[in-house]
Amino acid sequence: MKLKFNASLHRISILLLLAVSTVFSSCSKSDDIPAPSPATVTNVTTASGTLSGPKNTIITITGTNFITDLSKIQVKVNGKDCAVLSATSTTITAKIPAACGTGNVVLILDGTSYQGPVFNFVNSYTLFSITDGQVGNVYGPLASAKFDQIESISIDANDNMYLGQYNFPKVKKISADGTVSLLAGSGVSGYLDANGAAAQFTAPEYCSRGTDGNVYVAENQYVRKIDASLNVTTLYTKATAGGYMAIKAMPGGIYLAGPTEIAKLSYSGTVIWAVQRKDPPPPFDNPYDFDGDTSVARFSTYGNIEVDAAEENIYFNNYDSYHTLNGHVVNKIKKLNIPSHTITTIAGAGAGAEVNDGPALQATFNQVSDLRLDQYGVLWIADSRNNRVRVLENGEVSTLIGAAGEGDVDGDAASGKIKFPTGLAFDSHGSLFIGCFGNNKIKKLLID
């Protein structure tokens, strides 16, 4: 029994030694395998040789130790996903998406991020007609709807569009699904508070939807309100001479402007403040064009106004039709800074027969009808008599639409043509809608 026990113990010892040997052998082999080297990004290029371009630009990322499983590779620019096209251990290609914006290239390999340089995105601008330009008053689907002398466009946060018409005094709505309906106005010029089609307007050129859900119209001495039930009431009546043409409803109140006054109104109809135009001194040959404190500044607004998101600055066109410069009406774009109570010229040399782009204070305009700020703080300008849409950015004025001349041509904005643009509005996607008084069309500028 003793020998048998010892033999069994011996066999167990041998098995334990083998197991331990296997374990150490396995560990030794694993330790001999080097960890994979981290990837490195050495360069990001495009076919043009510059790290910039529009949508669909192909970028090539070069480096070392890339993985090749496309399902584990991400490329982002400005936080936007790019389509990954190919991958080798040293090269990855990807395509820039539409509306990408400028920002850093980031390569993500199986969850690990590698920061790259900045890609400078170049917007593409494509012009479309969304109405056919036929004159009339037909409601229903946008494709068959008819309008008469579209003056202005206002778009709410849900992409519903509100239109002011000049010839037939009506306020219309184009819902986000493309259905055209009447908000208010009989089409007969007059002044009557009533519901919907029974109400009368004289010149509802500019309107704006307030944060309270009502639509407001600046109309000469009156500010009219159209509520959700389409009831038209008068919110405010100006007692003194000189009425309003421009309106912009903001969270903090309703901003108004006319030739002789810029004002802020509460949603209850109370004037919060007003800046009056100062008459030029005798012999009255100085134009309504003098910058400075609002106690001495002279102005004469024309067209619609824009208010920045902070409600600190009001942008307006100064159109002094009573005085001329070199035989032309004075056109300057000015800014009223509310906290400092000052008015300054931000663009416009005065007036000229030619359309001059370039440094803002050397540019010339001819009857600016509307101004709009985009999400980047760029000021867009409806230069009506020049048949152009222009932008003011970083102290420079440039033409986006209309450089090819007056007309009606869709497609690439560089060769696009429009006729007497009077209304501008951006939707929630960043596209610009343009009301063209000259040929009764609404156009859309796709910016991507």
Side-chain angles (χ1 to χ4, degrees), residues 1-12:
M1 290 295 295
K2 185 175 181 181
L3 288 173
K4 187 176 180 180
F5 175 78
N6 288 339
S8 297
L9 186 62
H10 182 68
R11 284 196 296 271
I12 291 170

Side-chain angles (χ1 to χ4, degrees), residues 48-102:
S48 67
T50 62
L51 198 54
S52 64
K55 62 182 179 181
N56 300 326
T57 296
I58 306 300
I59 59 172
T60 300
I61 305 170
T62 55
T64 60
N65 302 314
F66 293 161
I67 61 176
T68 58
D69 184 349
L70 296 185
S71 67
K72 296 181 179 180
I73 301 173
Q74 289 178 280
V75 175
K76 293 179 178 288
V77 171
N78 192 36
K80 308 289 179 60
D81 287 317
C82 303
V84 179
L85 304 178
S86 66
T88 70
S89 62
T90 59
T91 302
I92 292 173
T93 62
K95 183 166 66 174
I96 297 294
C100 178
T102 295

Side-chain angles (χ1 to χ4, degrees), residues 275-278 290-299 342-343:
V275 177
Q276 303 291 334
R277 181 174 78 181
K278 307 302 183 294
F290 185 78
D291 290 348
D293 187 86
T294 54
S295 62
V296 296
R298 298 194 297 271
F299 61 87
T342 56
I343 292 177

Side-chain angles (χ1 to χ4, degrees), residues 35 41 63 110 130 156 181 245 284 290 296-297 314-315:
V41 174
D110 200 17
I130 67 169
D156 66 19
S181 60
M245 179 181 186
F284 304 107
F290 185 78
V296 296
I314 301 175
Y315 299 85

Side-chain angles (χ1 to χ4, degrees), residues 70-309:
L70 296 185
S71 67
K72 296 181 179 180
I73 301 173
Q74 289 178 280
V75 175
K76 293 179 178 288
V77 171
N78 192 36
K80 308 289 179 60
D81 287 317
C82 303
V84 179
L85 304 178
S86 66
T88 70
S89 62
T90 59
T91 302
I92 292 173
T93 62
K95 183 166 66 174
I96 297 294
C100 178
T102 295
N104 283 94
V105 178
V106 178
L107 174 64
I108 305 172
L109 301 176
D110 200 17
T112 302
S113 296
Y114 300 88
Q115 190 84 353
V118 171
F119 178 87
N120 293 296
F121 184 73
V122 178
N123 283 316
S124 298
Y125 302 94
T126 310
L127 192 63
F128 303 90
S129 295
I130 67 169
T131 63
D132 60 15
Q134 294 185 24
V135 176
N137 281 281
V138 177
Y139 305 105
L142 183 60
S144 56
K146 292 180 174 55
F147 306 88
D148 192 359
Q149 292 191 349
I150 297 165
E151 182 77 13
S152 68
I153 300 175
S154 175
I155 299 178
D156 66 19
N158 296 316
D159 289 335
N160 298 301
M161 191 178 303
Y162 305 90
L163 308 177
Q165 287 192 168
Y166 181 79
N167 196 34
F168 282 87
K170 295 183 177 184
V171 179
K172 293 183 176 182
K173 176 182 177 180
I174 304 175
S175 63
D177 66 5
T179 303
V180 180
S181 60
L182 174 70
L183 277 188
S186 66
V188 176
S189 181
Y191 175 80
L192 178 65
D193 285 346
N195 181 266
Q200 291 182 354
F201 298 90
T202 54
E205 294 186 65
Y206 293 97
C207 59
S208 182
R209 189 175 187 269
T211 53
D212 58 357
N214 300 315
V215 176
Y216 294 89
V217 180
E219 186 184 31
N220 300 322
Q221 289 178 271
Y222 310 106
V223 177
R224 316 281 293 278
K225 179 176 76 174
I226 308 171
D227 67 18
S229 300
L230 307 186
N231 294 309
V232 177
T233 55
T234 299
L235 179 70
Y236 173 72
T237 302
K238 189 172 183 288
T240 57
Y244 303 116
M245 179 181 186
I247 187 166
K248 182 66 181 287
M250 298 290 289
I254 303 167
Y255 295 85
L256 304 161
T260 64
E261 184 176 283
I262 303 171
K264 180 180 180 181
L265 194 69
S266 73
Y267 279 99
S268 62
T270 301
V271 176
I272 298 172
W273 55 258
V275 177
Q276 303 291 334
R277 181 174 78 181
K278 307 302 183 294
D279 286 332
F284 304 107
D285 57 355
N286 294 319
Y288 288 105
D289 175 26
F290 185 78
D291 290 348
D293 187 86
T294 54
S295 62
V296 296
R298 298 194 297 271
F299 61 87
S300 179
T301 73
Y302 178 86
N304 209 6
I305 58 173
E306 176 63 311
V307 183
D308 64 14

